[in-house]
Amino acid sequence: MTTLADGATSGQLNVPPGELAMGELQTLPLAAVDMLLAFGEAITRSTRPDDLLARVATTAMELLKLPWSVLLLRDPVTGEMRVVAGYGLDGASVPVIPAPPPDSPVLKTLMRGEPVIIEDYQGGAPLSPDWRELGARLGLRAVVGVPLITGTEFVGSLHLGGPDARHFAPADIAVAQRLARLAAQLLRHTEAHSAAHKRVGAFETMQALASSLVATMDIDTLLQILVERAVEVSGASGGSLLLWDAAENALVLRKSINGHGAAPPRLAAGEGLVGIAFTSGRPQLSNNYQHFAGATPAGSRNGVTNGLAVPLLRHGHPFGVLGVFSKLFQEFTPEDVNLLTLFASQAAVALDNQTLYATVLRQQRHLDTMVRAMHDALVVYDRDGCIVLLNPAAEDLLGLRPAIIGRSLEEVTADEDSYFSYRIEPLFDWPATFGHVIERGVTLAGMVRIHSDPERTFEAFYTPYVDENGAVVGVIAVARDVSATQELERVRAELDVARQHDDFLAIAAHELRTPITGIKGFTDLLGRRLVPGYTVTERDDAMLGSLSAQVNRLASLVSDLLDVGQLQASKIEFRWGRCSVRALLQSALDSVRPVAAERESDLLLAGADAVVCCDQARLEQVFVNLLTNALKYSTSGPITATVAGGPDHVRVEIADQGAGIAADDLPRVFERFYRSHDVYAHQRGLGLGLYISREIVTRHGGRIWVESRQGVGSTFYVEIPLTSAESHCGETD
Ligand code: ADP
């Protein structure tokens, strides 16, 4: 406890405390009165002691028309004076202004409750060397120092100065003195007032922090609010929030208020009050910071007098620290510690929520960007078939208007023009498909026609929309424009047909020309020889044989061509009758035997006989075709024809050990005009034999297929059902 003393050691101060009396106001200049009134108004709005003191200092500066001022407070424990703030000076020079030594004549005067007035500083005022040096550096000429007194207690002083020597009127000094006294009282008043105020403020702040709104703030705003409120809640001069950065292995300063360098940008775990709060996970308090062993250099240098740091905990583990400090010798009470701890726990939750929200928001934006960037249309339905989400592609391509979102099916069908730009025609049973997807949780696809200009076709996939519990809550539809693909396929098919026709014409011309050339050669030759009296030779006989063979070939080609035309027009009349399959095969084998004999191949017939109802000539034509192919596409090895029966069908297998058919060609050999690419050059044919054979077999209600391996051989199968064939014979018989 310090009392103001005569000679700075003893005796009561003879200064009446209290407000400025009306009488005194009247002696002040009018401008000064205005300012004092403005000051009074301002202090009722703010309760932060730092703000009040700044207000006091600047008002005094304006009234006395002096540009600089410095505030000194007395350490209540040690009695040392400390410079706590400078006004009109840049922040950096304030810490270097030295406090006056205890034996300074200025301090002694002030402690007696008297003002110090120096009208010309350079003119030999009674000053300590430090202050003299400072005055010279700043260019100080005129100085007024007034004491801050509460009751009988000297708590500090306010010093005002300017660069010009001047005379101070008694009214100037009176104003300065009154303001200083007022400031001293306010300091004490805010201390007492703030305990109750703090509690209310803290409660309100914590309620605000719990609101969901906090989560939606950007992190910088949230940190700013947290520190501001922490300072407010604890009635501190300033505060800071540091978060642990694992990469830096340090607490990193994220936000500071009124720090002015008191809060270092980085702190190691265990360093300073803040670092200790972090490592211990418990609040740390020092009401005598200047003599606190763990004080950081930044804190000491910047005049911190009281410090309080509380850890921010997540699941009991510290992830940061909230710190507040005072430079005004204002003690933090145990209640402050409790309030700030409570506040910190709320702040930690707010920070967590914010992080969570920011993450969700980031993911959502990410997803949103992807959905928006999709070229395919995306439509999400709820279980009732009501659209809940659309992407821009769905608007553009399908012509769905955004107004459709959230509308029920009834609403949409009642007013289609408001919701659809084009008519949408599903080419499948939409309600059934939608129901299946919802009920069975399966993905289904369907084609959709959009009647835009030009018309477009979409392939749509309907996938169940499953929530986190696995329940199907809707349907996600993705539709892709396949118009171009379809068009491409159509053009390709047309080209294919055209190419096949071209190929066919070239092949047909070639195939027809070969026997015609032969026939023409032989007839010319014979014509020349057949003169009266000419004797037919053996060579002529052979030539006639060849001629006949070429004519047969020509006839067969022409008959194939005719068959194709008639088969296509379904004009071929079938002559039904019962016959032995073995007998038919035998006859077919006999007709190809001369060719087989040429290359010395065995033609084998196996299996039991069966009787079917058929067109005898046509079925034999099938067997001849297959046997001719077997001879044509194999160079050696036996060719076997086997009759195999079943209870309801008869099956003929014709196997060779020839070149076989490539896997690519296999599915297409029964197509009209189709020929394997590798046979083109060296085997004659129109690519019609198998096509005609299949048509004939199908007309018998049967089927024809092939199994083949390249280099091993091929087996063709012809299966004729007994029942359907019988019914034919029954009808015609
Ligand atoms: P063509 O024999 O006149 O070309 P086909 O319709 O009879 O016409 O046969 C179509 C194609 O099937 C043939 O070009 C050939 O590539 C293939 N093919 C038919 N039979 C056989 C077989 N036994 N071995 C290998 N390939 C065959």
Side-chain angles (χ1 to χ4, degrees):
M1 176 71 195
T2 310
T3 48
L4 289 170
D6 198 8
T9 49
S10 65
Q12 288 296 303
L13 182 72
N14 190 20
V15 183
E19 306 293 315
L20 217 52
M22 269 321 271
E24 271 180 295
L25 269 183
Q26 279 155 9
T27 65
L28 291 174
L30 219 56
V33 176
D34 283 349
M35 277 188 206
L36 279 175
L37 290 175
F39 172 72
E41 213 173 88
I43 60 169
T44 53
R45 269 188 259 120
S46 173
T47 52
R48 266 171 37 88
D50 296 69
D51 289 349
L52 295 176
L53 293 176
R55 197 77 205 187
V56 168
T58 46
T59 307
M61 283 154 67
E62 279 175 54
L63 283 172
L64 271 69
K65 300 195 173 46
L66 290 170
W68 302 308
S69 83
V70 179
L71 182 76
L72 289 97
L73 290 180
R74 189 169 193 273
D75 187 330
V77 183
T78 61
E80 284 166 29
M81 290 295 281
R82 198 182 310 287
V83 178
V84 297
Y87 311 95
L89 293 157
D90 72 278
S93 64
V94 179
V96 301
I97 295 175
D103 57 349
S104 131
V106 170
L107 188 58
K108 282 185 178 162
T109 313
L110 290 167
M111 287 182 84
R112 279 200 303 275
E114 291 165 17
V116 173
I117 302 157
I118 303 169
E119 296 190 331
D120 187 358
Y121 200 93
Q122 310 296 335
L127 290 162
S128 62
D130 274 357
W131 280 48
R132 192 178 299 286
E133 194 268 325
L134 180 75
R137 191 150 45 83
L138 292 175
L140 262 183
R141 292 295 291 269
V143 175
V144 174
V146 284
L148 264 58
I149 296 153
T150 57
T152 55
E153 194 183 349
F154 172 82
V155 294
S157 56
L158 180 68
H159 300 254
L160 303 130
D164 305 310
R166 61 175 267 198
H167 170 70
F168 292 105
D172 292 338
I173 305 301
V175 166
Q177 271 184 301
R178 290 299 181 195
L179 277 172
R181 211 178 306 145
L182 196 61
Q185 282 170 349
L186 282 169
L187 255 179
R188 289 292 161 261
H189 171 74
T190 53
E191 264 174 18
H193 161 84
S194 54
H197 178 82
K198 278 180 205 169
R199 266 196 300 277
V200 176
F203 183 66
E204 279 171 3
T205 305
M206 281 185 248
Q207 253 187 341
L209 279 186
S211 107
S212 58
L213 210 72
V214 171
T216 65
M217 288 173 181
D218 66 279
I219 183 76
D220 206 57
T221 314
L222 178 62
L223 291 174
Q224 174 82 22
I225 288 180
L226 288 179
V227 182
E228 264 173 16
R229 297 291 187 275
V231 168
E232 205 173 277
V233 159
S234 56
S237 301
S240 54
L241 195 149
L242 297 91
L243 293 178
W244 179 252
D245 188 324
E248 299 216 17
N249 198 33
L251 283 160
V252 174
L253 180 69
R254 297 297 302 272
K255 191 56 79 183
S256 142
I257 299 218
N258 294 340
H260 300 311
R266 245 165 217 73
L267 273 178
E271 189 183 353
L273 267 189
V274 164
I276 299 172
F278 181 75
T279 40
S280 67
R282 305 182 63 80
Q284 298 297 318
L285 169 69
S286 168
N287 273 326
N288 191 6
Y289 193 82
Q290 291 297 327
H291 296 93
F292 165 56
T296 59
S300 317
R301 198 175 47 245
N302 286 285
V304 171
T305 58
N306 308 69
L308 169 57
V310 293
L312 294 166
L313 304 171
R314 182 182 292 133
H315 310 305
H317 298 290
F319 68 93
V321 177
L322 192 57
V324 292
F325 62 86
S326 163
K327 294 180 172 185
L328 304 177
F329 303 101
Q330 291 208 334
E331 287 201 348
F332 293 117
T333 62
E335 189 173 14
D336 290 334
V337 178
N338 287 341
L339 270 181
L340 204 67
T341 307
L342 208 63
F343 179 79
S345 69
Q346 206 71 27
V349 174
L351 275 172
D352 261 0
N353 286 347
Q354 197 280 341
T355 313
L356 209 68
Y357 181 81
T359 312
V360 170
L361 205 68
R362 207 169 32 245
Q363 284 171 349
Q364 196 182 326
R365 287 209 185 111
H366 198 61
L367 207 67
D368 209 49
T369 314
M370 289 196 300
V371 165
R372 296 187 72 80
M374 270 172 74
H375 288 297
D376 294 341
L378 175 88
V379 183
V380 182
Y381 302 87
D382 66 11
R383 282 184 71 96
D384 303 324
C386 164
I387 293 177
V388 290
L389 191 131
L390 285 180
N391 72 344
E395 287 174 42
D396 288 356
L397 304 174
L398 308 181
L400 292 173
R401 305 213 164 124
I404 200 169
I405 292 172
R407 301 275 166 227
S408 68
L409 275 182
E410 295 76 56
E411 281 177 287
V412 171
T413 29
D415 184 14
E416 294 195 341
D417 287 351
S418 302
Y419 304 116
F420 301 102
S421 304
Y422 316 122
R423 189 163 73 80
I424 299 181
E425 181 194 357
L427 304 176
F428 59 98
D429 186 346
W430 198 86
T433 303
F434 191 86
H436 282 327
V437 177
I438 292 269
E439 299 312 329
R440 302 192 198 150
V442 290
T443 293
L444 295 174
M447 304 298 272
V448 179
R449 181 159 304 141
I450 303 295
H451 292 265
S452 51
D453 187 18
E455 238 175 45
R456 305 208 145 266
T457 311
F458 285 79
E459 186 180 23
F461 287 90
Y462 298 87
T463 307
Y465 180 11
V466 179
D467 72 4
E468 63 275 15
N469 303 318
V472 178
V473 292
V475 172
I476 300 171
V478 177
R480 171 165 297 180
D481 187 347
V482 290
S483 317
T485 324
Q486 280 197 332
E487 181 63 13
L488 213 66
E489 264 165 22
R490 199 182 56 73
V491 170
R492 195 163 36 212
E494 270 177 15
L495 277 174
D496 240 22
V497 170
R499 199 171 45 231
Q500 277 184 0
H501 280 204
D502 287 353
D503 286 357
F504 169 71
L505 281 178
I507 292 166
H510 178 77
E511 290 291 301
L512 291 172
R513 199 178 56 198
T514 314
I516 287 172
T517 315
I519 291 165
K520 190 168 176 344
F522 290 132
T523 45
D524 281 358
L525 209 60
L526 284 172
R528 258 181 274 131
R529 286 191 188 192
L530 291 180
V531 288
Y534 178 74
T535 317
V536 176
T537 62
E538 262 184 41
R539 221 174 128 225
D540 294 334
D541 255 356
M543 224 185 289
L544 278 172
S546 296
L547 194 58
S548 155
Q550 298 289 17
V551 170
N552 282 343
R553 166 123 191 91
L554 201 58
S556 134
L557 284 171
V558 171
S559 116
D560 269 3
L561 286 170
L562 278 174
D563 278 356
V564 171
Q566 288 189 324
L567 278 168
Q568 265 184 289
S570 298
K571 279 190 185 151
I572 290 188
E573 284 284 321
F574 272 51
R575 299 158 63 88
W576 298 100
R578 283 201 182 81
C579 61
S580 144
V581 176
R582 239 185 112 95
L584 283 183
L585 262 181
Q586 190 60 63
S587 166
L589 282 166
D590 288 345
S591 67
V592 299
R593 205 170 295 282
V595 189
E598 270 171 36
R599 45 171 268 190
E600 292 174 1
S601 276
D602 285 338
L603 293 177
L604 308 171
L605 177 62
D609 194 14
V611 174
V612 289
C613 170
C614 64
D615 181 320
Q616 190 174 335
R618 291 290 170 191
L619 201 55
E620 188 181 330
Q621 187 185 348
V622 172
F623 297 148
V624 171
N625 273 344
L626 297 179
L627 287 167
T628 313
N629 277 351
L631 282 163
K632 219 158 81 172
Y633 300 112
S634 68
T635 45
S636 60
I639 289 159
T640 323
T642 313
V643 186
D648 54 354
H649 65 264
V650 55
R651 194 168 72 213
V652 174
E653 303 172 7
I654 295 175
D656 65 52
Q657 295 175 3
I661 305 169
D664 282 354
D665 291 320
L666 212 48
R668 301 194 62 187
V669 288
F670 292 98
E671 282 177 23
R672 200 159 44 121
F673 309 134
Y674 193 82
R675 309 198 68 217
S676 299
H677 293 95
D678 47 357
V679 306
Y680 259 60
H682 45 85
Q683 282 299 350
R684 289 177 174 181
L686 289 175
L688 288 176
L690 289 181
Y691 169 74
I692 292 170
S693 300
R694 190 185 61 182
E695 292 299 310
I696 293 171
V697 173
T698 312
R699 288 282 290 273
H700 280 81
R703 57 191 190 105
I704 183 169
W705 72 97
V706 59
E707 286 170 6
S708 180
R709 275 179 63 198
Q710 267 196 308
V712 177
S714 316
T715 304
F716 282 81
Y717 300 85
V718 174
E719 199 175 88
I720 308 286
L722 296 175
T723 43
S724 64
E726 273 308 307
S727 71
H728 262 302
C729 283
E731 279 165 28
T732 46
D733 273 354

